[in-house]
Amino acid sequence: MIAYKRVPMLVTRGFYLVSTTLILVFIIFSFSLSTAHIQAQRIQRNDLDLNYLKAKMTAENELDLFYIGLYESPAQLDFVPACTNLMLDPNQLVIENDKMREYQLTGSFYLCVEQSGYFSVSITLAYNSIEQLILQRRLATTSKPWVLYPITLFGL
């Protein structure tokens, strides 16, 4: 009789252990999935930040090389149009020349005269295949050597 009462008690205890184990396994599995998703989002965000920093460094390097090209042939500045209210005015787009090809510049450069001796230089550079970085500087040619002043940095 005692053995007969133990069987339902063992079955109940076994069911309790199995269901508790299954619940714990489900909780651990859910936690693992959510942790993996959070980690994937963090990696993607870090990649975007890294791509932005690479694009910014590339744009700054290209602006420096463009500055060197202008400094070596200042006659180009004689044909620069006046600045307008449009930041990326198509009339201000610099046509690729031999120096730009020599330095392998990949960005689109915009150059305009703000006032006598002061020029606005902008570069647009694509990154992340859908976004565009715009870096703008003011070029002062009133002193020797010329000076590039940072103005703005945009990400579109």
Side-chain angles (χ1 to χ4, degrees), residues 20 29 43 52 58 73 76 84 90 111 116 131 135 146 153:
T20 305
F29 184 70
I43 289 169
Y52 173 79
T58 301
S73 55
Q76 287 181 328
T84 62
L111 182 63
S116 180
E131 296 177 294
L135 186 65
W146 295 351
L153 174 70

Side-chain angles (χ1 to χ4, degrees), residues 1-16:
M1 193 78 171
I2 293 175
Y4 180 71
K5 287 186 177 182
R6 282 190 178 184
V7 171
M9 201 160 101
L10 288 174
V11 169
T12 305
R13 186 175 293 170
F15 177 76
Y16 171 76

Side-chain angles (χ1 to χ4, degrees), residues 51-80:
N51 287 342
Y52 173 79
L53 291 174
K54 283 181 188 176
K56 184 176 181 245
M57 286 174 39
T58 301
E60 294 210 11
N61 289 337
E62 288 201 10
L63 266 177
D64 290 340
L65 291 171
F66 184 71
Y67 165 81
I68 291 169
L70 285 176
Y71 196 78
E72 290 176 353
S73 55
Q76 287 181 328
L77 296 176
D78 295 338
F79 306 106
V80 174

Side-chain angles (χ1 to χ4, degrees), residues 76-146:
Q76 287 181 328
L77 296 176
D78 295 338
F79 306 106
V80 174
C83 291
T84 62
N85 290 334
L86 296 175
M87 184 175 177
L88 302 176
D89 189 346
N91 296 326
Q92 299 168 1
L93 184 62
V94 176
I95 298 169
E96 189 176 25
N97 57 28
D98 293 336
K99 279 290 182 195
M100 293 172 76
R101 281 189 282 282
E102 179 185 334
Y103 293 142
Q104 299 175 353
L105 302 180
T106 58
S108 299
F109 291 89
Y110 296 84
L111 182 63
C112 66
V113 177
E114 290 179 355
Q115 61 184 5
S116 180
Y118 292 92
F119 299 85
S120 175
V121 182
S122 302
I123 181 176
T124 61
L125 196 65
Y127 75 102
N128 289 341
S129 72
I130 57 168
E131 296 177 294
Q132 194 173 33
L133 180 78
I134 302 171
L135 186 65
Q136 184 180 23
R137 290 188 181 167
R138 178 175 288 127
L139 173 62
T141 60
T142 54
S143 63
K144 288 282 184 177
W146 295 351

